[in-house]
Each structure stands twice: as structure tokens, then as C-alpha cells.
Amino acid sequence: MSPKQQRGEATVGQVLDAAMRLYAASGEAGLTVSALTTASGVSTGSIYHHFGSLDGVVNALAVRSLERLLTRLGTALLQETDARSGIEAVVLAYLDHARSSPEEARLLHSVAADREGMARAGQIRDSQEARLEPIAAWIHAHQESGELLAGLSAPLIESLVLGPVVGVVRRWLTMGDIDLEEAARVLPDRIWRSVGRD
């Protein structure tokens, strides 16, 4: 990587770190170009050069947060050799990520991230292929071994595993009436029953 590319990556990281601090403090309303230039020390022109727009900053921030979550989920899953432990580890890792990084969880479950995800779902998935492929291979291997239901596609298994967790985290973030500790006790077994063979 050339020095110019390194400087560009450093600038992008600097802007995204500042954007996350602003988002954590004030939500999307606090993310303005003026606030971002002040918080990051990066010029307006440089922000537009690297991101195209303020929406581009929010989108890049959401993609970076998604990368961090997928890395965490993949690590938790791939450390487990049996299917039940793997599914339970993914559920607990997702809940732990929300608990330990609520600002990233709030961004990932925001209207802006939903809108971006719907508009560019295929492109975003393609950009995460390196993180998703080992997960898909793990699912396939455990279907082949008979531990996971064989008649379900990998995307359907992902939906059955992550759908309830996403719902719980969204409710925790928006309503605050769900106890994540209770969810951690209840969800892994309930989710396992929907995808596993005991």
C-alpha cells in the first residue's frame, strides 16, 4: 500500500471514529458536516472526497459496524465444533455485542441502516463475503453431519437464528422493556429447537 493510500485509510478511520462518537452522543441528528469536521479535524472537502456525502459517512459507519458484528459472530461460531454450541455461541455473541457496543447496535438497527440495507443488500453482502463464507461452510458441514436440519437453506437457517435476536435487540434499544440477561438464558435453547436435530 502506498503512503497516499495509507493516509487515505487513516483519514477514513479518523472520520468514522469521530462520526461514531457524535452518533453515540446525539444520534443521527448530531451528525452534521460541521460537527464532523470539528470532531475529526478533517476538512469538509476531504470528507466529501472520501465519502461523497454525509449519507456516505453514515453508510460507511454502518458497514464498518456490520463488519465488526460479523467478525464477532463468525469468531464465536467457528470456535465451536458441535452445532448446538455454535448456534448458542452466535446468539450470545450478538446479545453481548449489543450490550457492550450499544451505539453500534443502535446504528445497525436504525432506519438509515435499514434503508441502506434494502437498497444495497446484494452489494453489502458481496462486500462481506470473506466473513460470511466460513459461516455458510460451517452451516453446510453441520447439515451434512445431521446436526442441523438438512431441508433448510443456509439463508433460512441464518434467519431463524438471527431473526429472534435482532427482534430482541431492537426492542431493547427502542423500548427498553427486555432484559438481555433473560434473553441470554432463554433464546439459545429456543432458537436451537428451530434449526437443530437432537
Side-chain angles (χ1 to χ4, degrees):
M1 182 182 301
S2 73
K4 183 177 180 180
Q5 289 171 316
Q6 289 176 343
R7 285 192 303 276
E9 281 194 13
T11 299
V12 166
Q14 193 174 332
V15 170
L16 293 179
D17 289 345
M20 183 51 77
R21 288 192 303 274
L22 290 168
Y23 186 87
S26 307
E28 203 171 335
L31 265 178
T32 64
V33 173
S34 174
L36 197 50
T37 58
T38 300
S40 68
V42 173
S43 71
T44 301
S46 188
I47 290 171
Y48 281 105
H49 169 74
H50 288 289
F51 299 97
S53 66
L54 190 57
D55 282 344
V57 174
V58 174
N59 295 339
L61 191 58
V63 168
R64 185 177 79 165
S65 296
L66 177 62
E67 289 172 357
R68 290 178 177 178
L69 175 61
L70 289 176
T71 297
R72 193 168 188 168
L73 297 182
T75 298
L77 180 71
L78 299 175
Q79 288 177 349
E80 302 297 334
T81 55
D82 69 280
R84 184 177 189 134
S85 297
I87 297 299
E88 291 174 353
V90 165
V91 172
L92 295 176
Y94 199 114
L95 293 171
D96 188 58
H97 180 76
R99 189 181 308 109
S100 64
S101 304
E103 64 286 343
E104 281 195 359
R106 186 167 283 107
L107 176 65
L108 282 172
H109 296 88
S110 70
V111 171
D114 282 347
R115 188 172 48 245
E116 180 69 5
M118 293 295 284
R120 295 180 43 227
Q123 184 181 3
I124 291 169
R125 186 163 185 95
D126 290 347
S127 74
Q128 302 303 318
E129 189 63 32
R131 290 171 186 82
L132 294 171
E133 183 56 37
I135 295 171
W138 187 95
I139 290 171
H140 179 72
H142 288 284
Q143 284 181 306
E144 291 288 311
S145 73
E147 291 178 272
L148 290 173
L149 294 174
L152 302 177
S153 66
L156 187 53
I157 288 178
E158 289 174 26
S159 297
L160 287 169
V161 172
L162 294 179
V165 186
V166 169
V168 162
V169 169
R170 279 185 187 272
R171 181 142 184 157
W172 175 72
L173 290 166
T174 57
M175 302 296 291
D177 61 353
I178 285 186
D179 179 359
L180 290 187
E181 296 298 326
E182 179 186 14
R185 288 191 304 272
V186 172
L187 284 181
D189 180 61
R190 299 298 174 111
I191 290 171
W192 169 251
R193 290 186 210 177
S194 69
V195 297
R197 287 186 186 277
D198 277 324

